[in-house]
């Protein structure tokens, strides 16, 4: 009972630290550092070696948090391995995985073993213990971070064969590394205990792995059954964590009782069981999407607890003493990864550039590596803490170095799809309307009435521009970048797309990546394509809801709606860019504006400001103003150069 009360008190204290860590770690993200790094550092300072907010032995007292987190990390790692998505680059992925897995593991393992005398906690250990540490650390060095890779790919909007290869190898490696670690872990226990490598040891090892695979299949079926039940998603999330934790409870039970049953301590491989179960759900069930959604919703909470707890378990003294060793190990890993990339790329027949930079996407490490280090620390108390501290230091270095290298490699192969720089405003408001129909004509005429230069682009051969005097209509064969640039599309402040969704999406991608058009307006056909256009910062008009929304605003706010729609006589709204240097630094309250002009909003660098009389203008600000037509023209001239 007393132990239970102590655990509750410890859990309450840790919960407060974890909540605070989550809030403080946001500061690290503002410095462009991974959230995980912030959580590790905050856990380190909150632990027993600095601020002492958490007592020594916190990790042991809250072992169930580690067990739940490790099971979750294994579930998340296998959920990324969806076989159907790997087929297009299977040859490259296969050989690059071989190069990264085999060369990194063997090369780094040998180097660590022969450099053991330069690693303080290894120097005085037995040869068997040195071998155990070498293979364990080498297996962890193979691990990668799918979450970090996905974050970089999404940030760069990257797409292409190199990115496909990098993502495929990343998820395959994280699956295989747990299998590799499971074998190395069993071998290491035998080495450290001094047991001989006999036929019985080999049979027991094969039996443990076979049992783990079989239980993994059972876990996969349990997860599939659970996901098929009709219940609230929160309950499913709780059951998912419970299933993962049950695997660890079963392993602890077998370890504690197997000596009485068979005269020898037996082990299951909980990480392997969980990763097999997740793999079955991901690839052989119809619940993949729901499974991934639950994992994504749980991940922030699990990672906050796990990485904060891991940081609290790191000894600051040991970290300072081992920082030089960490950099040595970082370079060992880097060198073996480069060699693995060269060998794997050569075997797969990848282009020379891919072979030279193929190692760059795989530097970053995170959850899986830290999880495996925690397993080692729990199993080998004599040197496990120093082992974990060293691995944590190496992973933090990798987190600093890895993402920039991955971004660099994406830029080198030309697969980044970042937004192009918006062309400089030339003083004339230009709009291009792509697609010819009655709405296009009406829009072009209305824009011209409001002082815009509107041009229509179409592929329709039955259109005769001479039939539409006063309008500029361009007949083209396609909407390629070359064609659009030939029409001087870069001068446009806005492009309106009125074609089908696939055509609009292709043009929007071109404008976003190569032109940098300030405003891309899209008429949506299918609601399912909304997110694709939203990612390209398009202004989306959904005809299925636009009319209802318009009537709703006319009922609730008739004055505002009619004003914004230009339905009030001699009244309109206009976006005006601040280009006049004389206006720089002026407060809104100091502007001399016509009495009927009202400034509705100020947009700066894509963000709408909450304005007041003391808001000061900057060059490039976009003011949304309302007033009479004459006054709007006067204000536009005043803010221009």
């Amino acid at each position: 009972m007393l132990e239970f009360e102590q655990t509750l008190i410890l859990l309450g204290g840790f919960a407060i630290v974890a909540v605070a860590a989550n809030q403080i770690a946001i500061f690290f993200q503002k410095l462009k550092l991974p959230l995980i790094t912030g959580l590790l550092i905050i856990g380190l300072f909150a632990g027993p070696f600095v601020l002492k907010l958490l007592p020594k032995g916190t990790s042991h007292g809250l072992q169930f948090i580690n067990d739940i987190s490790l099971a979750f990390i294994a579930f998340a790692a296998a959920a990324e391995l969806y076989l159907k998505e790997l087929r297009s680059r299977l040859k490259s992925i296969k050989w690059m995985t071989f190069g990264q897995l085999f060369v990194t593991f063997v090369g780094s393992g040998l180097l660590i073993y022969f450099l053991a005398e330069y690693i303080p906690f290894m120097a005085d250990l037995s040869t068997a213990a040195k071998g155990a540490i070498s293979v364990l650390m080498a297996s962890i060095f193979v691990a990668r971070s799918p979450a970090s890779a996905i974050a970089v790919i999404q940030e760069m909007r990257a797409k292409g064969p190199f990115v496909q290869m990098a993502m495929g190898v990343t998820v395959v490696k994280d699956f295989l590394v747990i299998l590799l670690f499971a074998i190395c872990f069993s071998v290491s226990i035998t080495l450290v205990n001094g047991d001989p490598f006999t036929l019985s040891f080999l049979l027991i090892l094969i039996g443990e792995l076979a049992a783990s695979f079989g239980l993994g299949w059972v876990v996969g079926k349990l997860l599939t059954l659970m996901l098929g039940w009709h219940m609230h998603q929160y309950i499913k999330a709780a059951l998912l964590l419970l299933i993962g934790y049950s695997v660890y409870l079963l392993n602890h039970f077998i370890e504690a009782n197997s000596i009485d049953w068979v005269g020898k301590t037996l082990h299951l491989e909980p990480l392997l069981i969980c990763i097999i179960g997740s793999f079955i759900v991901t690839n052989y069930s119809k619940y993949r999407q729901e499974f991934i959604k639950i994992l994504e919703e749980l991940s922030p909470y699990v990672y906050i607890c796990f990485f904060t707890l891991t940081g609290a378990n790191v000894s600051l003294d040991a970290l300072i003493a081992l920082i030089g060793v960490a950099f040595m190990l970082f370079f060992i890993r880097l060198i073996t990864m480069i060699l693995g990339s060269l060998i794997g790329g050569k075997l797969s027949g990848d282009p020379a550039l891919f072979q030279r930079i193929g190692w760059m996407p795989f530097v970053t490490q995170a959850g899986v590596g830290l999880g495996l280090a925690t397993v080692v620390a729990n199993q080998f108390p004599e040197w496990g803490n120093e082992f974990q501290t060293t691995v944590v230091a190496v992973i933090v270095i990798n987190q600093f170095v890895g993402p920039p290298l991955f971004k660099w490699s994406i830029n080198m192969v030309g697969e980044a799809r970042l937004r192009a720089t918006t062309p400089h405003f030339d003083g004339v408001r230009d709009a291009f309307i792509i697609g010819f129909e009655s709405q296009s004509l009406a829009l072009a005429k209305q824009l011209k009435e409001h002082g815009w230069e509107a041009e229509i682009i179409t592929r329709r051969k039955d259109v005769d521009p001479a039939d539409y005097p006063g309008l500029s209509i361009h007949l083209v064969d396609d909407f390629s970048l070359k064609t659009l640039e030939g029409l001087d599309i870069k001068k446009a402040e806005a492009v309106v797309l009125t074609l089908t969704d696939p055509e609009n999406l292709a043009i929007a991608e071109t404008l976003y990546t190569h032109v940098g058009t300030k405003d891309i307006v899209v008429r949506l056909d299918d609601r399912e394509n909304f997110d694709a256009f939203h990612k390209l910062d398009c202004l989306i008009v959904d005809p299925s809801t636009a009319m209802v929304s318009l009537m709703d605003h006319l009922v609730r706010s008739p004055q505002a709606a009619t004003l914004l729609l230009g339905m009030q006589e001699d009244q309109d709204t206009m976006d005006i860019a601040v280009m006049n240097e004389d206006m720089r630094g002026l407060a809104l309250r100091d502007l001399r504006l016509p009495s009927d002009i009202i400034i509705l909003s100020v947009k700066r660098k894509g963000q709408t400001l909450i304005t007041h009389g003391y808001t000061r203008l900057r060059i490039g600000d976009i003011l949304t103003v309302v007033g009479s037509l004459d006054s709007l023209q006067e204000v536009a001239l005043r803010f221009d150069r």
Side-chain angles (χ1 to χ4, degrees):
M1 185 67 181
L2 181 62
E3 184 178 347
F4 178 72
E5 290 179 356
Q6 290 176 337
T7 301
L8 279 181
I9 293 171
L10 186 59
L11 181 60
F14 174 73
I16 294 172
V17 171
V19 170
N22 182 42
Q23 296 300 313
I24 301 171
I26 296 173
F27 171 75
F28 288 84
Q29 287 184 302
K30 292 180 179 178
L31 299 177
K32 303 299 182 183
L33 296 176
L35 181 67
I36 291 172
T37 302
L39 294 172
L40 288 170
I41 293 173
I42 294 163
L44 172 64
F45 277 88
F49 305 101
V50 185
L51 299 178
K52 301 181 180 178
L53 299 176
L54 296 172
K56 200 166 187 179
T58 297
S59 182
H60 178 73
L62 299 177
Q63 180 60 38
F64 69 93
I65 292 180
N66 271 334
D67 291 346
I68 292 171
S69 301
L70 290 170
F72 178 86
I73 288 170
F75 285 153
E80 299 289 346
L81 185 57
Y82 188 44
L83 297 178
K84 291 181 180 178
E85 293 179 350
L86 304 180
R87 291 174 181 171
S88 61
R89 297 285 299 170
L90 195 57
K91 181 181 178 183
S92 181
I93 290 170
K94 176 180 67 179
W95 288 113
M96 186 62 74
T97 301
F98 168 78
Q100 290 292 317
L101 195 71
F102 181 79
V103 177
T104 301
F105 174 71
V106 174
S108 57
L110 289 173
L111 287 172
I112 292 169
Y113 180 80
F114 287 114
L115 294 172
E117 61 184 87
Y118 299 103
I119 302 174
F121 72 91
M122 289 181 66
D124 297 326
L125 295 177
S126 65
T127 300
K130 289 178 181 177
I133 293 172
S134 298
V135 295
L136 287 171
M137 195 169 288
S139 64
I140 293 174
F141 279 4
V142 175
R144 177 64 171 92
S145 171
S148 299
I150 291 169
V152 170
I153 291 169
Q154 289 179 342
E155 180 185 344
M156 305 284 287
R157 297 190 65 255
K159 188 176 182 180
F162 182 77
V163 169
Q164 285 181 323
M165 179 275 295
M167 198 63 224
V169 173
T170 295
V171 297
V172 172
K173 276 176 62 179
D174 264 18
F175 179 87
L176 294 178
V177 72
I178 292 180
L179 175 59
L180 176 65
F181 178 83
I183 297 171
C184 293
F185 189 68
S186 296
V187 171
S188 297
I189 292 174
T190 301
L191 285 172
V192 172
N193 292 341
D195 297 334
F197 284 94
T198 60
L199 179 61
S200 63
F201 161 76
L202 184 61
L203 291 175
I204 290 172
L205 176 60
I206 294 172
E208 290 173 345
L209 292 175
S212 297
F213 271 97
L215 286 170
W217 181 85
V218 173
V219 167
K221 293 302 179 182
L222 282 175
L223 289 171
T224 302
L225 180 66
M226 179 269 294
L227 291 168
W229 291 341
H230 295 289
M231 62 179 70
H232 198 284
Q233 195 154 300
Y234 290 160
I235 300 176
K236 290 186 178 182
L239 288 174
L240 184 146
L241 295 178
L242 181 61
I243 291 172
Y245 183 45
S246 299
V247 173
Y248 273 87
L249 289 178
L250 177 62
N251 180 56
H252 296 325
F253 177 76
I254 290 175
E255 285 182 340
N257 294 280
S258 57
I259 191 74
D260 297 328
W261 298 340
V262 296
K264 188 173 181 63
T265 302
L266 301 177
H267 310 271
L268 293 174
E269 299 298 340
L271 286 171
L272 183 60
I273 293 171
C274 292
I275 207 169
I276 293 295
S278 177
F279 177 80
I280 289 172
V281 174
T282 302
N283 290 275
Y284 301 105
S285 82
K286 60 182 179 181
Y287 302 110
R288 173 176 173 262
Q289 293 298 334
E290 185 180 3
F291 183 55
I292 291 175
K293 184 179 179 181
I294 293 173
L295 292 175
E296 288 175 347
E297 291 181 352
L298 280 174
S299 61
Y301 307 104
V302 174
Y303 290 156
I304 288 165
C305 294
F306 177 69
F307 294 121
T308 303
L309 188 59
T310 300
N313 199 45
V314 172
S315 168
L316 184 61
D317 294 340
L319 182 63
I320 294 171
L322 293 168
I323 194 66
V325 173
F327 275 101
M328 179 184 75
L329 294 173
F330 164 76
F331 283 110
I332 286 175
R333 179 174 182 264
L334 202 63
I335 291 168
T336 55
M337 286 177 63
I338 293 172
L339 290 174
S341 172
L342 291 171
I343 293 173
K346 198 74 175 176
L347 291 172
S348 64
D350 283 340
L353 178 60
F354 282 25
Q355 295 177 32
R356 291 196 301 271
I357 65 173
W359 55 275
M360 291 185 180
F362 310 121
V363 175
T364 309
Q365 290 185 291
V368 173
L370 288 169
L372 299 181
T374 301
V375 173
V376 175
N378 293 335
Q379 181 65 39
F380 304 103
E382 300 84 3
W383 42 263
N385 207 25
E386 289 84 355
F387 179 98
Q388 183 185 34
T389 300
T390 305
V391 170
V392 167
V394 174
I395 288 175
V396 169
I397 295 170
N398 288 329
Q399 285 186 330
F400 276 97
V401 176
L405 282 174
F406 192 13
K407 291 179 183 178
W408 189 23
S409 65
I410 289 172
N411 283 322
M412 288 179 71
V413 297
E415 294 183 5
R417 297 190 176 189
L418 295 173
R419 182 163 190 163
T421 304
T422 301
H424 187 69
F425 180 53
D426 60 3
V428 179
R429 296 190 174 279
D430 297 286
F432 281 85
I433 303 167
I434 299 181
F436 184 90
E437 56 185 57
S438 58
Q439 289 184 353
S440 305
L441 293 171
L443 178 59
K445 291 176 181 178
Q446 191 163 329
L447 286 172
K448 290 181 77 67
E449 289 175 3
H450 287 80
W452 283 69
E453 293 296 326
E455 303 178 35
I456 299 175
I457 307 174
T458 180
R459 289 181 303 190
R460 287 178 54 178
K461 303 305 180 184
D462 60 330
V463 176
D464 186 357
D467 293 338
Y468 304 94
L471 292 181
S472 179
I473 300 176
H474 305 283
L475 304 181
V476 298
D477 294 323
D478 55 49
F479 299 119
S480 65
L481 176 61
K482 183 179 180 181
T483 299
L484 295 176
E485 286 182 334
L487 299 174
D488 200 13
I489 195 78
K490 290 190 175 183
K491 70 181 181 181
E493 278 67 56
V495 175
V496 182
L497 305 177
T498 64
L499 305 173
T500 63
D501 280 355
E503 291 174 311
N504 286 341
L505 188 58
I507 298 169
E509 182 82 46
T510 300
L511 296 174
Y512 182 95
T513 307
H514 300 287
V515 180
T517 305
K518 178 175 171 290
D519 294 316
I520 304 172
V521 182
V522 178
R523 186 183 62 192
L524 192 67
D525 287 338
D526 189 340
R527 184 74 184 173
E528 289 192 1
N529 296 317
F530 182 92
D531 288 340
F533 287 110
H534 184 67
K535 290 177 181 178
L536 297 172
D537 296 335
C538 294
L539 303 173
I540 304 168
V541 179
D542 185 352
S544 64
T545 60
M547 187 60 68
V548 174
S549 297
L550 174 58
M551 289 188 290
D552 172 59
H553 281 85
L554 284 169
V555 171
R556 293 188 296 108
S557 306
Q559 292 297 320
T562 55
L563 182 63
L564 292 174
L565 290 170
M567 295 169 64
Q568 292 191 12
E569 188 176 354
D570 197 38
Q571 293 286 314
D572 205 350
T573 58
M574 180 182 290
D575 282 354
I576 299 174
V578 179
M579 306 301 293
N580 190 341
E581 285 286 345
D582 295 336
M583 296 293 175
R584 185 197 294 270
L586 279 180
L588 294 182
R589 67 196 300 269
D590 296 328
L591 294 174
R592 293 183 300 163
L593 299 175
S595 59
D596 62 337
I597 286 291
I598 299 174
I599 297 177
L600 298 179
S601 68
V602 177
K603 195 170 185 179
R604 180 176 296 159
K605 295 182 178 178
Q607 301 294 322
T608 300
L609 306 181
I610 300 175
T611 58
H612 47 73
Y614 294 96
T615 301
R616 296 188 178 276
L617 297 176
R618 296 182 186 176
I619 299 298
D621 284 355
I622 305 295
L623 308 184
T624 300
V625 297
V626 61
S628 66
L629 297 178
D630 291 339
S631 295
L632 288 174
Q633 291 301 323
E634 180 184 339
V635 173
L637 289 171
R638 185 177 299 180
F639 281 96
D640 202 354
R641 272 175 248 175

